[in-house]
Structure formats: C-alpha cells, structure tokens
Amino acid sequence: MITTKYVNYKQVLNLAGVHLVLISIWCTLIAVLFYFFNWHWMTIPWVPLALIGTAEAFLVGFKNNQAYDRLWEARKIWGGIVNSSRSLASMVYAFDTKNEEIGAFDLEDRKKRIVFRHIAWLYTFREQLLVPTEWEHISSENKFVNVNLRRNRLIKAGFPDYGRAPIFLHKYLSEEEYDLKNHYKNFATYLISQQAKDINELKNMDAITDFNQTQLQNSLNEFYNFQGQAERIKKFPSPRQFASTAFVFNILFILLLPLGLVNEFAKLGDWGIWTSIPFCIIIGWIYIIMELVGDYSENPFAGLMFDVPMLSICRTIEIDLLQMSGETDLPEPISSKNGVLV
C-alpha cells in the first residue's frame, strides 16, 4: 500500500518510466518523418481520433472502477479479520469455567494454544494469498521483463519479516502441527478445523458451556467466510475480456495519437510540428498511467506496492492477541518504508 499523500516521481517512473520512453520515441519519430520526409499521407483527421480517445477513456474508467472495487473489498475482508480476531481472543479468555476439577494452569494453556494457533493462521493465510497466479503481473511479465520481480525483491529487502511466515508458524504452533504444514494443500483451513476441535474439547470438559461453544464456533465460521471471500478475489481474475480490450484499445489510441496531433500542430507552422511532441507524450502517458493503475489494482494480493498491507495487519492483530494473552515480549508494528506499507 502506498502511504505517501501524493505519489512521488520515483513511484511514477517505477510504474510507467519505460512506457514514457517508448511513447517519446514514437512521437518523435512521427514528427521527424512528417518534417524531414514530408510524409503527410500518414496523418489522420482529429475527429475520429477524438472519438477513439473518448471511447477508450470510458473503457479505462470502467476498468478502474472494477479494479478499485476489488481492492476495497479485499481491504474490507482484512478489516473484518481484525475485528473478528479480537472478538475471538476476548471470548476465549472471557468464558470461564465453573468446573473446579480443571486445573487453572491447564485451562490457561489450552486457551493460549487457541489464540496462538489463530496468529499462525493469520500468517499462513497471508502466505497462501501471496502465491502468484498466472494472470498476475509477477507471473505474466517475467516472461518478457523482470521489472515486477525486481519490485518484489526490493519490497522483501525493505521488510525483513516479509518472508518469515515459517518462523512465525514455528513460534506459535506445536511441533506436531508445524510438521503437518506440507501435508495439507490448504493449511489455513486445517488450522481453523483444529480450532473447532479444541473448542469442542473444552465444551466436553465443561470448561465452557454449550452457548459459549456456539459463540466461538460462529466466530470460526466468520474466518472461513473471510478466507473464502479473499480466495475468490485471488483465484478469479478481473474478467479478461474487459481488461484485455482496454489494453489493446489503449495501444491503438496511442499509436494513432501522433498521427492526428502532428497534422493539427503543423497548421501553426514548422515550429508547431515539434511542439506536438511534448503534448503527444503527455496525453499518451496519461492514458498509459490510467491503464496501469487499474491493471495493478485489480490484483490486491500480488506482493507488490499496490497490495492490501497484509503483513502490517497481521502484526497489528498479533500484538493485540499477545497482549490479551498476558505476554509482555511484543513485536514492533510494521512501519512504512519509502512510502510503501506491506
């Protein structure tokens, strides 16, 4: 997540710097051919170009709206996980027992195990969401350029805890549960099922009432819902018929843009031909940036700077739950670095 109030020039160039160079070369080439070689036959009227640009603006706007909806829904899902995690931990420690045969130490240990396993679920779920899909930029573009892989490595280098999920799992899970990690395709689902078994065991021991068990199970069901909602966003791409069409039309518009602008600016004289270059670059680059903003925002779990800050959210929940458990050795919150929070 970008945390700076305004996107700085480094972030803009990191996103669309290569495109700026390509547009500049294309616009300059058209002006050179028009001025030095008198290729006036290649120009087109401005009216059809304006119609194409208007249609493309509507299409890109629609795509960006859909991308923002996916991004904001992902953030709401993790916001719900924050609230439900606090509720789960508070209920675990609030529901007390009247069965004097259960030792206080044993009961406290069982409650802490539930809370710690939930922290492990958070980091497991985040790690599973970061596994790239074939349509995300980090997977598709590395066939041609490694720009997104470099971006991902820079983020990991800036945040030491970014890839330490196995360490967190080893810290909050028993050895037996940790060893089962590679035996399950969806380890996060397994952890929630284990939570249900432990809660049911507490009920069978008369440590909690049937009503308490129902409340806790409903809380676990919420995490299943949140997990399913996030997996739906992760595993179902923004419909490619819209995303790909907007991309193709954008390229077509930018290719035609200097052919229309150079003819219009030529009416001002020879100097107008060269003046068309910066205007062509600015207009084309605006369309490119609009396209890229929507294209990257539609994948909120891709491991890049446009993502939902899952690591920061997990750390916030971890701190809250450890405090509820009476722990004093608390980790530090995740802070943004270079205008990015992960």
Side-chain angles (χ1 to χ4, degrees), residues 9-302:
Y9 74 94
K10 290 184 179 179
Q11 292 171 337
V12 174
L13 292 178
N14 184 31
L15 176 65
V18 175
H19 304 81
L20 178 62
V21 174
L22 295 176
I23 293 173
S24 301
I25 294 173
W26 175 243
C27 295
T28 303
L29 175 63
I30 296 300
V32 168
L33 292 175
F34 187 91
Y35 183 81
F36 291 105
F37 296 92
N38 294 320
W39 282 19
H40 296 181
W41 55 268
M42 65 180 179
T43 60
I44 58 176
W46 177 252
V47 174
L49 185 62
L51 292 175
I52 295 174
T54 303
E56 172 61 12
F58 280 112
L59 190 57
V60 172
F62 171 78
K63 175 182 176 179
N64 284 6
N65 283 336
Q66 301 306 308
Y68 180 80
D69 286 343
R70 287 169 61 88
L71 176 63
W72 187 240
E73 182 183 1
R75 182 59 185 89
K76 288 193 293 184
I77 290 170
W78 274 92
I81 291 175
V82 173
N83 298 336
S84 296
S85 297
R86 292 166 176 165
S87 298
L88 174 67
S90 65
M91 285 190 292
V92 166
Y93 284 105
F95 294 159
D96 208 348
T97 179
K98 295 182 180 179
N99 188 345
E100 297 180 355
E101 296 180 0
I102 303 175
F105 179 80
D106 180 58
L107 183 61
E108 183 69 20
D109 184 66
R110 290 174 180 272
K111 290 182 175 181
K112 183 173 291 187
R113 186 169 60 194
I114 293 174
V115 173
F116 278 18
R117 187 186 290 120
H118 182 70
I119 298 175
W121 173 81
L122 292 169
Y123 287 106
T124 299
F125 184 39
R126 171 185 173 271
E127 186 180 39
Q128 291 180 184
L129 288 178
L130 288 176
V131 175
T133 57
E134 60 181 307
W135 55 82
E136 290 178 339
H137 292 84
I138 205 166
S139 294
S140 59
E141 290 194 9
N142 64 4
K143 300 174 183 176
F144 307 101
V145 291
N146 292 323
V147 59
N148 289 300
L149 293 176
R150 289 197 298 270
R151 290 169 180 167
N152 184 259
R153 284 196 294 267
L154 286 174
I155 289 175
K156 289 182 178 180
F159 296 88
D161 289 340
Y162 189 86
R164 296 179 61 194
I167 297 177
F168 296 131
L169 298 189
H170 199 274
K171 177 181 179 181
Y172 292 114
L173 293 178
S174 64
E175 289 289 341
E176 294 77 10
E177 285 184 323
Y178 180 79
D179 291 339
L180 291 173
K181 182 177 184 296
N182 295 326
H183 292 78
Y184 289 89
K185 295 293 184 181
N186 193 328
F187 191 57
T189 300
Y190 164 78
L191 291 177
I192 297 180
S193 69
Q194 285 299 109
Q195 297 283 66
K197 291 180 180 178
D198 276 12
I199 290 172
N200 185 65
E201 187 176 346
L202 288 176
K203 189 264 294 183
N204 292 336
M205 296 168 52
D206 293 328
I208 59 175
T209 65
D210 291 345
F211 178 75
N212 295 155
Q213 184 208 18
T214 301
Q215 294 294 97
L216 290 169
Q217 184 60 51
N218 288 337
S219 181
L220 295 180
N221 292 341
E222 288 183 0
F223 293 117
Y224 272 134
N225 289 332
F226 291 135
Q227 183 174 334
Q229 292 168 5
E231 288 172 344
R232 169 173 49 83
I233 296 175
K234 176 69 177 183
K235 297 181 179 179
F236 186 85
S238 180
R240 308 320 297 166
Q241 61 268 31
F242 296 109
S244 299
T245 302
F247 175 73
V248 172
F249 286 178
N250 213 2
I251 293 178
L252 178 63
F253 172 71
I254 292 173
L255 289 177
L256 296 177
L257 181 62
L259 303 181
L261 278 182
V262 70
N263 188 43
E264 292 296 318
F265 276 82
K267 298 175 182 178
L268 302 176
D270 290 344
W271 63 272
I273 298 174
W274 304 111
T275 307
S276 69
I277 296 176
F279 283 93
C280 178
I281 294 172
I282 292 172
I283 296 173
W285 204 40
I286 288 174
Y287 273 81
I288 281 290
I289 290 179
M290 289 193 300
E291 164 69 23
L292 291 176
V293 167
D295 211 37
Y296 278 91
S297 299
E298 69 185 22
N299 299 312
F301 306 126

